[in-house]
Amino acid sequence: MSFFKAENLSIQFGGVKAVTNVSFEVQQGEVFTIIGPNGAGKTTIFNLISLIYPPTSGRITFEGREITGMTPHRVANLGIARTFQNIELFEHASVLQNLLIGRHNHTATRLWQELLFMPSVRRAEIEHREAVEKVIDFLDLQHHRDSMVAGLPYGVRKVVELGRALCIGPKLLLLDEPSSGLNPEETDDMAFWIEDIKKDLGVTVLMVEHDMSLVSRVSDRVLALAQGEMLSIGTSREVQSDPKVIEAYLGKPE
Amino acid sequence: MRFLFKTDYDQDIRLFKDGVQMFWYALLGIVLLALPAVLPEYLMGQMVFILIYAIIGLGLMLLIGFTGQISLGHAAFLAVGAYTEAIMQAKGMPFVVSIVLSAVFAGAAGLIVGLPALRLKGIYLAIATMAFGFIAEEVITRWEHVTGGNSGKQLKQIDFFGIIIDNDTKFYYLALGLVVIILLGMINLMRSPTGRAFVAIRDSEISAQSMGIHLAKYKTIAFTFSAALTGVAGALYGHKLQFISPEQFNLLVSIEMTTLVFIGGLGSFHGAIFGAAFIIALPQLIVFAKDVLPPAIGQQTGLQPTVFGLILIGFLIFEPLGIYGRWVKIRTYFSLFPFYRRGMFKRQKSYMKSDRLK
Ligand SMILES: Nc1ncnc2c1ncn2[C@@H]1O[C@H](COP(=O)(O)OP(=O)(O)OP(=O)(O)O)[C@@H](O)[C@H]1O
Ligand SMILES: [Mg+2]
C-alpha cells in the first residue's frame, strides 16, 4: 500500500485542460516537490487533493483509502493539511485563534457542553493551547501570539499559515509556494523548517515551489509539469537537467 | 495604561481578563439592578425594549457578525416566537415552558430554512431569506384559525412562577435576567471550538473547510441558534406589546433588526447591545428633534427613515466597526493619554485575496 497516490488525474475548466493524466506517488517521510512554469496546473493539483474541485477523471488515494468523492472537510480529518499560494488566513482573528482553529479536527466536546463551558471544555481548551504552544515555539511565533492577522507583515503571515497547518497534526502537509514573497533570510528559515518538519515531526511534505535552490535543498524527489502534463520525475538534479524541462522553461532552441 | 502579564493559559480562557475588568462589569451590574429606582416608569418601558432588541441583536450578531451569513428574514422568527408564546399561553402553559417552546419552534423554523438557504452566499442568501420573510408573513395572515389572521392575537401578562409581570420594572428584571443568561451562553460558545469554527467560516470558507470544518453543519448551527434567540425575543416582544398582528413582522422589521448589528459593530457582543440601545433611542431623539427643528424639516413625512438611512450610510463609510469601534477608540485614547496617535486605527492594507485560489 502506498502512502499517497494520484492516478491519472485530469481536470478541465471549460476548454482549459488544467491537469491532464497526472500520476505520481509520495512515499511516507519524503519531501516531494512539484515544479513547473506559471499556469502549469500545480495549484490545481492541490485543489484536487483538497477536494475543492472534483477531477474530471482519475483518483487519489491516501493510506489506501480513496479520497476523491469524500466530503471536503474530511480530508483534514484524515491528516492532510495545506497552505495556500495567496495566504488564506482568518483575517479578523488573532494568531492564537488561527492556530487554535487548526486544532478543530481534535475537537471532542459537544455543543451543549460548550454552551455551559463545562470543566471538560476548559480542560480540552488547555490541551489545545498546549499543542498550539508547541507549534508557536517551533516556528518562533511567540511575539505575534496575540496580534490580529490583518495587521501582520507578509512574511509572518506565511509562517502563521504554516503553523496553522501544523496544528492539524498532519501526516501529509501540502505547501503551495512556501517561499513566494519571502526575502532571502525568510526563505532560509523556511528551508530549515521544512527540513525539521520532515525530520523532527516526521511529516511527509508535498510542495509546490519556484525557488530552485530551495527545491534542490529540501526535496527528495521532484515532478515537473508543463501545461497540465507530466514532463519528468526524479531527483532534483535529474529533473533539472532533463532537456524536456529546460525546453518548457526556456523554450525550444532554434 | 495597564499591562497584562499572563502566567497561565487559563487567563486567555476565563470570562474576565483580570480584576479590573471584573470590577467594571460588577459596577455595571449594580447600576443595571439599581436603574428602576432612578428612572421613571416610561423609560423603564424603553429599557425593556432595548433588552428585547439586545436579544435579537445577539442572535443576529452570531449569524452576521460572527459567522458572516446575512439574513433579511429574521422578522419571521420573531413572529414564530411571538405566536408560539401567544398560543401556548392561551393553552395555559407556564411561561418557563412556553418561552422555551418559542425558542425551539423558532429554532426549528431556522433549521428548516437554513438547510437549503445556506448553500447560497452573500446577496443570494439575503434574497432567499427575504423571500422566506414574505412567505412567513403571508402564512401568518392566512392561517386564521391558529394566528387570528389580520385581527391578530392578544397576550396576557406573564405569570413567572406566580409573580405576575404587571409593570415595566418587573418586566425589566425578567428581560435583564434572560439577556445575561443568553450572553453567558454565547460567550461560552465563542470561546469554544464551535465559536472558532464560526469565525473561520466568516473569514475564509475555503480554508475553514481545509481545516476540517464542516461548513454546512456550522452554518446551520449558527442559523438555528440565531433563529431560536430571535424566537425568545419574539415571545417577550409579544408580551410587551400585548397584541400581535402580521404587519408587525414585515420586511422593514427584518431590515431594522439586521441594521442593528451593523450600527452596533460587527463581531462583538458589545455591538449587539449598543446597536439595540441605538435603534430604540433614535426614534425618541427624532421625535424630540421634530419640535426643535424648523417646521419645514421637522414636519416632513419620512423624517425617521431618512435619518435612519443617513446614519447607517455614515457608519458604513466612516466607522465600519460601528458604535463599538468608536467606543474602543475613545477608550484607547483615554488609556494611552497623552500618547494616542491619530493613525493608530487606520485601516491596514489588506493583502490580495482571490476567489480562484490560483
Ligand atoms: N477555477 C478555475 N477556473 C478556470 N480555470 C482555472 C481555474 N483554476 C485554474 N484554472 C486554470 O488552470 C491552469 C492551471 O492553473 P494553476 O493555478 O494550477 O497554475 P499554477 O501551476 O499553480 O501556476 P502558478 O505558478 O502561477 O501558481 C491555468 O491556466 C488557470 O487559468
Ligand atoms: Mg499556483
Side-chain angles (χ1 to χ4, degrees), chain B residues 28 34 42 91 160 172 209 224 271 298-299 316 344 349 356:
Chain B
L28 177 68
Y42 165 73
K91 282 196 178 3
F160 186 70
Y172 167 79
Q209 178 174 289
T224 306
Q299 302 308 320
L316 291 179
M344 207 147 188
K349 164 180 170 235
R356 269 199 34 210

Side-chain angles (χ1 to χ4, degrees), chain A residues 13 16 18 36-45 53 85 176-177 210, chain B residues 356-358:
Chain A
F13 296 108
V16 182
N38 291 118
K42 307 177 294 293
T43 300
T44 305
I45 291 182
Y53 313 126
Q85 186 168 350
D176 199 347
E177 306 204 6
H210 278 300
Chain B
R356 269 199 34 210
L357 300 168
K358 219 186 129 218

Side-chain angles (χ1 to χ4, degrees), chain B residues 114-136:
Chain B
L115 277 176
L118 290 168
R119 290 162 185 272
L120 307 173
K121 283 180 193 171
I123 191 85
Y124 299 101
L125 178 61
I127 289 171
T129 48
M130 190 168 98
F132 163 69
F134 286 134
I135 294 169

Side-chain angles (χ1 to χ4, degrees), chain A residues 6-246:
Chain A
E7 292 167 83
N8 304 315
L9 276 188
S10 300
I11 184 168
Q12 259 176 302
F13 296 108
V16 182
K17 289 184 175 168
V19 173
T20 314
N21 238 342
V22 170
S23 303
F24 62 94
E25 273 184 47
V26 180
Q27 251 76 55
Q28 191 156 15
E30 73 174 339
V31 174
F32 187 99
T33 305
I34 302 177
I35 61 167
N38 291 118
K42 307 177 294 293
T43 300
T44 305
I45 291 182
F46 274 22
N47 289 342
L48 288 171
I49 301 173
S50 302
L51 303 182
I52 292 170
Y53 313 126
T56 317
S57 67
R59 51 186 236 138
I60 301 168
T61 50
F62 179 64
E63 295 189 310
R65 241 185 303 185
E66 176 161 357
I67 62 173
T68 26
M70 280 183 179
T71 35
H73 71 273
R74 289 213 42 215
V75 176
N77 298 335
L78 293 178
I80 301 179
R82 76 171 286 185
T83 65
F84 294 85
Q85 186 168 350
N86 281 331
I87 306 187
E88 286 278 335
L89 284 167
F90 308 119
E91 293 284 317
H92 305 285
S94 68
V95 169
L96 184 61
Q97 281 171 318
N98 268 270
L99 297 179
L100 282 170
I101 292 168
R103 296 281 302 168
H104 183 83
N105 57 339
H106 299 271
T107 307
T109 48
R110 301 186 166 280
L111 195 57
W112 66 270
Q113 296 172 321
E114 295 180 359
L115 278 171
L116 301 174
F117 214 75
M118 305 283 281
S120 59
V121 179
R122 187 180 297 266
R123 243 178 291 128
E125 281 301 298
I126 297 209
E127 273 167 37
H128 290 319
R129 181 68 189 270
E130 280 161 359
V132 162
E133 286 297 328
K134 283 195 190 122
V135 173
I136 289 180
D137 284 343
F138 181 72
L139 297 176
D140 276 330
L141 281 170
Q142 294 88 346
H143 293 298
H144 303 292
R145 198 186 277 120
D146 291 324
S147 322
M148 292 306 258
V149 165
L152 289 176
Y154 191 85
V156 180
R157 295 152 72 88
K158 214 79 199 176
V159 181
V160 173
E161 210 193 17
L162 173 63
R164 188 181 63 179
L166 286 177
C167 286
I168 289 185
K171 296 176 194 158
L172 176 65
L173 181 59
L174 313 182
L175 301 177
D176 199 347
E177 306 204 6
S179 83
S180 73
L182 299 187
N183 64 33
E185 244 170 83
E186 293 168 329
T187 306
D188 201 42
D189 283 342
M190 190 56 83
F192 274 116
W193 281 323
I194 293 171
E195 284 168 342
D196 286 350
I197 287 169
K198 172 184 150 182
K199 283 202 205 84
D200 300 348
L201 306 183
V203 176
T204 311
V205 178
L206 174 56
M207 174 172 94
V208 165
E209 185 50 64
H210 278 300
D211 181 336
M212 284 318 287
S213 67
L214 176 64
V215 172
S216 10
R217 179 167 158 192
V218 301
S219 326
D220 296 294
R221 286 190 307 141
V222 175
L223 163 68
L225 287 183
Q227 289 165 0
E229 294 184 39
M230 296 174 65
L231 285 182
S232 175
I233 191 165
T235 64
S236 161
R237 189 186 302 261
E238 284 163 11
V239 170
Q240 282 184 61
S241 53
D242 188 322
K244 276 191 289 190
V245 176
I246 296 168

Side-chain angles (χ1 to χ4, degrees), chain B residues 28 30-51 167-170 172-173 176 277 280-281 284:
Chain B
L28 177 68
I30 292 169
V31 169
L32 286 174
L33 286 176
L35 216 50
V38 197
L39 290 188
E41 187 75 0
Y42 165 73
L43 284 182
M44 285 322 294
Q46 296 303 307
M47 286 303 294
V48 171
F49 274 118
I50 291 181
L51 290 172
N167 63 28
D168 281 327
T169 301
K170 289 181 191 164
Y172 167 79
Y173 283 122
L176 186 62
I280 300 299
Q284 315 283 328

